[in-house]
Amino acid sequence: MKILISSYTGLGNFILKTPLINAIDKEYDSSQIDLIFGFPWGAENVLRDSELINKEYWLPPQYSIQKKINMFKFLRQQNYDIVMLPFDSSPNFILLLSVLFLNRSQMISHYSNHSLSIKTRLIKICIRLFLLKVIWVPVPNGRHEIKLNLDLLHAVNNNLSPDHQTFINWKSENISGFNLPELYLVIQPLAANGGPTPKTWSPENFDKLIDEFLLKFPKMKVVLVGDAGDAGDVSKLKTFKMLSNSNVINLLSKTTFNQLCNVLS
């Protein structure tokens, strides 16, 4: 069983796809799972070098249409049995090119009508009626993201009892160069690669949290983590008093994914 999964998503959202990947591996003894990425948000690091994954492809949305077509011509030659298009990681060009070039594969795609105008809903309904070879899987309100991903596999195999546990693939690495103390609290003060998002708490709240934490646990330190986008955003926010605190270790953008896993471990 050869399966291609569209994976144009952030790090955290991709981690919530690992139960799906694990379920495919357990259900099909000789499964070959390939992933296609294109956003620079680190999702490709989660299962890198894992025995679960056969190949990883890279096709950023900004590539020319010719490069995209060439990639899909190559993917067509791989003769996938199933192409999975999750709701949060399948740009429109992926759906379109999959329909045009991977039509010998069984395609399974999420669809959602949430927060859409009546006109857009009608257009989406027409698209679903036209693309008869696609198995469309709804995205119900309030359903957990792990279960939404597993719904794609349930569409072709309804006898599953999958494990919902997420996982990542990482290796032990010497991180003594970061000079971490024995006891520390890890905080990621931003989200969405430093982009504006309601998921981000205010700098003042983080400063207050860190002050109160260090007051209660004076022998501990605080370690800040995040990617390059987070680091750039923090540097602009001069209200972050924590950056000048001698008990705060700033590792924003200074770790690889594997080093971050070791810091957390």
Side-chain angles (χ1 to χ4, degrees):
M1 177 71 72
K2 294 183 67 174
I3 298 178
L4 177 68
I5 303 177
S6 180
S7 305
Y8 287 74
T9 187
L11 184 64
N13 297 92
F14 184 80
I15 289 174
L16 296 179
K17 287 174 177 38
T18 56
L20 167 65
I21 293 170
N22 192 43
I24 293 171
D25 180 71
K26 286 185 176 179
E27 186 63 23
Y28 303 105
D29 293 334
S30 58
S31 62
Q32 173 184 312
I33 303 173
D34 294 347
L35 307 173
I36 182 167
F37 298 95
F39 290 150
W41 299 334
E44 71 278 6
N45 295 310
V46 175
L47 295 181
R48 178 158 288 165
D49 300 323
S50 167
E51 295 180 356
L52 292 174
I53 303 304
N54 177 57
K55 291 181 181 177
E56 295 181 351
Y57 301 107
W58 189 254
L59 185 64
Q62 64 267 27
Y63 273 15
S64 68
I65 186 62
Q66 189 58 56
K67 281 189 176 181
K68 291 174 180 175
I69 289 174
N70 290 341
M71 170 63 82
F72 271 82
K73 285 181 178 179
F74 171 79
L75 293 175
R76 180 171 57 189
Q77 296 171 3
Q78 308 312 304
N79 296 316
Y80 289 105
D81 297 294
I82 295 175
V83 175
M84 289 187 173
L85 305 172
F87 71 102
D88 61 340
S89 55
S90 306
N92 289 333
F93 80 90
I94 291 291
L95 173 60
L96 176 61
L97 292 175
S98 295
V99 169
L100 292 176
F101 292 95
L102 307 181
N103 49 27
R104 291 177 293 188
S105 308
Q106 176 62 72
M107 274 175 284
I108 309 172
S109 176
H110 277 129
Y111 74 88
S112 172
N113 288 329
H114 305 321
S115 303
L116 298 179
S117 66
I118 294 177
K119 179 181 178 181
T120 305
R121 288 189 185 192
L122 290 173
I123 291 173
K124 287 207 165 193
I125 290 172
C126 291
I127 290 174
R128 292 203 300 273
L129 291 173
F130 178 72
L131 302 178
L132 296 176
K133 285 203 65 175
V134 180
I135 295 178
W136 297 100
V137 179
V139 178
N141 263 325
R143 188 161 176 78
H144 194 283
E145 194 168 320
I146 289 176
K147 292 184 177 180
L148 287 175
N149 290 314
L150 287 167
D151 286 345
L152 295 174
L153 187 55
H154 278 292
V156 290
N157 188 335
N158 203 31
N159 297 317
L160 296 173
S161 298
D163 183 355
H164 291 179
Q165 181 62 50
T166 58
F167 59 95
I168 56 178
N169 191 58
W170 63 283
K171 298 175 182 177
S172 180
E173 181 177 347
N174 184 350
I175 56 170
S176 60
F178 294 131
N179 297 315
L180 298 177
E182 183 178 353
L183 298 173
Y184 56 89
L185 168 73
V186 176
I187 290 180
Q188 181 181 353
L190 288 164
N193 303 88
T197 168
K199 293 191 294 183
T200 301
W201 214 25
S202 74
E204 292 79 9
N205 285 342
F206 274 116
D207 285 330
K208 185 177 179 181
L209 171 68
I210 290 173
D211 286 342
E212 293 188 6
F213 178 82
L214 293 175
L215 186 63
K216 189 170 184 178
F217 303 100
K219 294 184 179 180
M220 294 183 69
K221 292 196 174 185
V222 171
V223 176
L224 304 181
V225 299
D227 63 16
D230 295 340
D233 205 51
V234 164
S235 66
K236 294 182 226 172
L237 296 172
K238 297 180 180 179
T239 51
F240 267 113
K241 294 188 300 180
M242 67 183 84
L243 294 177
S244 58
N245 191 322
S246 60
N247 289 312
V248 173
I249 300 172
N250 183 7
L251 294 186
L252 284 158
S253 81
K254 297 177 182 177
T255 67
T256 64
F257 176 80
N258 197 72
Q259 288 170 335
L260 172 62
C261 293
N262 278 268
V263 169
L264 296 174
S265 177

